């Protein structure tokens, strides 16, 4: 007998639309974000942008300190201001591709009375642009963005479990990144589905 999987937590970027089999840093979105961080670093500090950005990426991986927080600390400005500056004018039409499959799957799951959550490490300013462009906001019971958790998605998963009363083992995390979507969920005894493009979501419709 299959375990019940009625409560789904979706990642956004690279999961509900295609990164074309590349990591975030090499995706169209990742390139746009990186270039904007280069601009901020070059305008407001004496650091060489590319080398300092690489340093921040390594620190994010080793110490779990987000790049936006590092930049905010370096420049003595609010993190929200950094996020707005970097993300506010990225055009979703240029980076959000191949999402019709996920759009249809979300609609079908919603019509089957499944409870859907969205948890993204992107700030709300970008997430809003993306879900409005994809026309998927109505399918989600709750959405958590970067501003809603401090460290990792494990914190977001815990918030969802506690606020909804759903045990961890009845939640499934669906995402394209092992280090942020899958491993933290497994550490909480959640179920997981690792995807590399939207077509990998199709098996969700066969779950009991």
């Amino acid at each position: 007998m299959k375990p019940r999987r009625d409560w789904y937590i979706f990642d956004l970027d690279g999961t509900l639309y295609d990164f074309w089999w590349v990591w975030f840093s090499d995706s169209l979105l990742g390139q746009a974000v990186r270039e904007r961080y280069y601009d901020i670093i070059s305008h407001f500090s004496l650091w060489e942008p590319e080398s300092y950005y690489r340093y921040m990426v390594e620190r994010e991986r080793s110490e779990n300190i987000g790049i936006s927080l590092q930049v905010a600390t370096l420049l003595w400005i609010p993190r929200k201001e950094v996020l707005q500056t970097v993300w506010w004018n990225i055009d979703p039409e240029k980076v959000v591709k191949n999402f019709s499959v996920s759009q249809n799957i979300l609609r079908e799951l919603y019509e089957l009375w499944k409870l859907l959550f969205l948890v993204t490490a992107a700030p709300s300013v970008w997430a809003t642009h993306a879900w409005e462009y994809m026309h998927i906001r109505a399918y989600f019971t709750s959405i958590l963005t970067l501003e809603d958790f401090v460290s990792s998605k494990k914190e977001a998963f815990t918030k969802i479990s506690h606020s909804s009363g759903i045990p961890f083992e009845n939640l499934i995390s669906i995402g394209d990144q092992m280090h942020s979507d899958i491993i933290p969920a497994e550490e909480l005894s959640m179920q997981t589905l690792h995807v590399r493009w939207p077509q990998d979501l199709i098996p969700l419709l066969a779950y009991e």
Side-chain angles (χ1 to χ4, degrees):
M1 183 178 181
K2 293 182 181 178
R4 287 180 60 90
R5 292 178 171 177
D6 288 347
W7 300 281
Y8 305 98
I9 300 178
F10 288 89
D11 172 53
L12 175 61
D13 303 302
T15 298
L16 296 181
Y17 69 90
D18 214 335
F19 273 174
W20 302 111
W21 295 88
V22 298
W23 298 110
F24 170 79
S25 58
D26 297 320
S27 68
L28 294 173
L29 178 61
Q31 293 172 33
V33 169
R34 184 168 61 249
E35 291 298 326
R36 284 160 173 77
Y37 273 121
Y38 287 172
D39 288 343
I40 293 176
I41 295 168
S42 63
H43 279 89
F44 297 102
S45 78
L46 299 177
W47 295 94
E48 195 280 317
E50 293 188 25
S51 60
Y52 194 78
Y53 185 81
R54 287 196 297 270
Y55 161 76
M56 291 193 297
V57 170
E58 290 302 317
R59 192 177 178 205
E60 180 181 42
R61 292 172 179 167
S62 62
E63 302 179 40
N64 200 27
I65 302 175
I67 292 175
S68 61
L69 183 58
Q70 293 183 56
V71 172
T73 303
L74 173 70
L75 303 181
W76 292 76
I77 59 177
R79 185 190 190 193
K80 184 176 182 180
E81 184 176 331
V82 174
L83 294 173
Q84 288 284 343
T85 301
V86 170
W87 293 83
W88 76 272
N89 66 343
I90 297 177
D91 184 357
E93 188 173 1
K94 294 181 178 179
V95 300
V96 178
K97 307 293 183 181
N98 188 25
F99 60 88
S100 60
V101 171
S102 60
Q103 189 181 51
N104 291 333
I105 289 172
L106 290 173
R107 185 183 68 252
E108 289 191 47
L109 291 173
Y110 178 79
E111 291 173 350
L112 289 170
W113 296 89
K114 306 298 185 180
L115 201 59
L116 311 182
F117 302 94
L118 182 67
V119 174
T120 174
S124 60
V125 62
W126 165 251
T128 302
H129 290 331
W131 75 55
E132 287 181 349
Y133 178 70
M134 298 167 70
H135 302 289
I136 59 174
R137 174 62 182 91
Y139 303 135
F140 293 102
T141 298
S142 178
I143 293 178
L144 297 181
T145 62
L146 179 61
E147 293 88 346
D148 297 309
F149 50 96
V150 177
S151 54
S152 74
K153 284 191 176 180
K154 183 185 287 189
E155 180 185 348
F157 298 154
T158 301
K159 280 187 175 184
I160 288 175
S161 177
H162 290 174
S163 63
S164 65
I166 302 170
F168 287 120
E169 57 268 25
N170 289 343
L171 291 167
I172 176 170
S173 175
I174 302 147
D176 66 311
Q177 299 293 321
M178 287 294 299
H179 72 280
S180 59
D181 302 316
I182 305 303
I183 294 175
E186 291 178 342
E187 290 174 349
L188 294 171
S189 300
M190 292 169 57
Q191 301 171 76
T192 59
L193 176 64
H194 184 218
V195 302
R196 290 303 304 273
W197 62 329
Q199 280 76 358
D200 290 338
L201 299 171
I202 293 174
L204 290 174
L205 297 176
Y207 288 171
E208 294 180 351

